[in-house]
């Protein structure tokens, strides 16, 4: 299931706001490490010093920006992320678990903001150097439920403050991508945390065969 660009699995978690991606990534990372794998956990936007700076601009609720500016900043953070962190880690034989990747731009800036989907995909291809996730786990839940979870946590960022109709288009954008690509698995993120953890494991398990002990 790996591709020439990904000598080891590159697994991406996607989903609307409040889906529990970071919790589930930590569960999966712990499980893989227990099995002896070398795992890098990272996120978008971020994962590198320039990417973290770009993240703080993108999420700042005080800033307003055009959808094009927003997308190009996500793409800039992604270009740096792939070149300086993700590709080197994969080439060094590490498993990479990433909280969001190019598909978030398709969902948020394409479906959500209404940018030309062909342009979004083209820029993504340059930003990622054509790197595709080995598998993508979509943690899906209704936009309103996710936003309620986020609001209960406290202060919200610029994207979380966008209106419900925007977040519903984003969710739809994720569901459509999942339906179009066999490398995606959509999971119900409204289930209890432990159930989602097991669903994630069942989805990715075939990528990590148990080593056969020497006879
Ligand atoms: P996070 O809350 O999952 O850490 O993601 C940061 C926010 O950035 C979240 O609201 C989703 C948004 N986002 C985009 O709009 N486009 C993108 O390409 C990425 C990676 C994230």
């Amino acid at each position: 299931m790996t591709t020439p660009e990904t000598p080891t699995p590159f697994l991406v978690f996607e989903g609307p706001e409040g889906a529990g991606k970071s919790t589930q990534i930590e569960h999966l990372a712990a499980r893989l490490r227990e099995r002896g794998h070398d795992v890098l956990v990272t996120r978008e936007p971020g994962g590198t010093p320039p990417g973290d700076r770009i993240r703080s601009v993108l999420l700042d609720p005080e800033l307003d920006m055009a959808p094009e500016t927003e997308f190009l900043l996500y793409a800039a953070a992604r270009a740096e992320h792939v070149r300086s962190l993700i590709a080197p880690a994969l080439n060094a034989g590490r498993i990479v678990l990433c909280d969001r990747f190019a598909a978030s731009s398709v969902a948020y800036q394409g479906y959500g903001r209404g940018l030309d989907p062909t342009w979004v995909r083209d820029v993504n291809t340059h930003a990622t150097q054509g790197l595709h996730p080995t598998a993508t786990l979509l943690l899906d839940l209704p936009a309103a439920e996710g936003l309620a979870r986020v609001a209960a946590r406290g202060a919200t960022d610029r994207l979380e403050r966008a209106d419900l109709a925007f977040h519903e288009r984003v969710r739809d954008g994720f569901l459509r991508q999942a339906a179009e690509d066999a490398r995606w698995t959509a999971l119900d993120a409204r289930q209890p945390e432990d159930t989602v953890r097991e669903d994630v494991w069942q989805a990715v398990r075939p990528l990590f065969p148990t080593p056969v002990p020497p006879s």
Side-chain angles (χ1 to χ4, degrees):
M1 235 172 140
T2 52
T3 67
E5 298 95 351
T6 60
T8 46
F10 171 36
L11 306 181
V12 171
F13 285 66
E14 296 281 8
E17 308 295 331
K21 292 178 287 87
S22 33
T23 305
Q24 292 300 334
I25 286 184
E26 286 308 329
H27 284 317
L28 179 59
R31 196 162 208 161
L32 291 171
R33 286 177 182 133
E34 273 165 24
R35 293 163 70 100
H37 294 289
D38 184 2
V39 180
L40 170 71
V41 173
T42 186
R43 69 172 178 182
E44 290 210 349
T48 68
D52 286 334
R53 296 258 190 110
I54 293 170
R55 181 183 179 90
S56 64
V57 171
L58 279 164
L59 300 188
D60 186 343
E62 310 264 299
L63 294 176
D64 203 11
M65 64 185 79
E68 290 80 1
T69 313
E70 182 180 280
F71 170 50
L72 291 169
L73 286 171
Y74 279 111
R78 182 164 301 131
E80 187 62 28
H81 198 200
V82 168
R83 285 160 182 76
S84 74
L85 192 69
I86 297 176
L90 293 170
N91 288 331
R94 305 185 75 190
I95 293 165
V96 177
L97 306 186
C98 193
D99 188 338
R100 300 195 181 283
F101 194 58
S104 273
S105 284
V106 175
Y108 280 81
Q109 282 68 51
Y111 286 87
R113 299 289 192 214
L115 292 181
D116 175 2
T118 306
W119 183 58
V120 171
R121 286 182 194 275
D122 283 353
V123 173
N124 267 342
T125 300
H126 288 282
T128 61
Q129 299 184 299
L131 177 70
H132 282 285
T134 316
T136 299
L137 285 305
L138 171 58
L139 303 193
D140 175 58
L141 82 176
E145 283 185 43
L147 290 174
R149 287 186 184 182
V150 166
R153 280 191 222 138
T156 49
D157 64 38
R158 194 176 62 83
L159 271 290
E160 289 160 352
R161 289 178 190 203
D163 62 30
L164 180 60
F166 167 80
H167 287 287
E168 283 175 340
R169 290 194 297 277
V170 169
R171 183 201 185 192
D172 183 49
F174 281 126
L175 287 171
R176 282 169 189 255
Q177 291 182 83
E180 283 162 8
D181 190 334
R183 291 167 295 187
W184 284 58
T185 304
L187 304 173
D188 183 352
R190 290 171 302 180
Q191 300 176 101
E193 185 180 321
D194 285 353
T195 309
V196 178
R197 184 181 61 188
E198 288 315 304
D199 285 356
V200 167
W201 180 238
Q202 290 313 319
V204 303
R205 200 181 184 151
L207 296 169
F208 305 101
T210 311
V212 180
S215 49

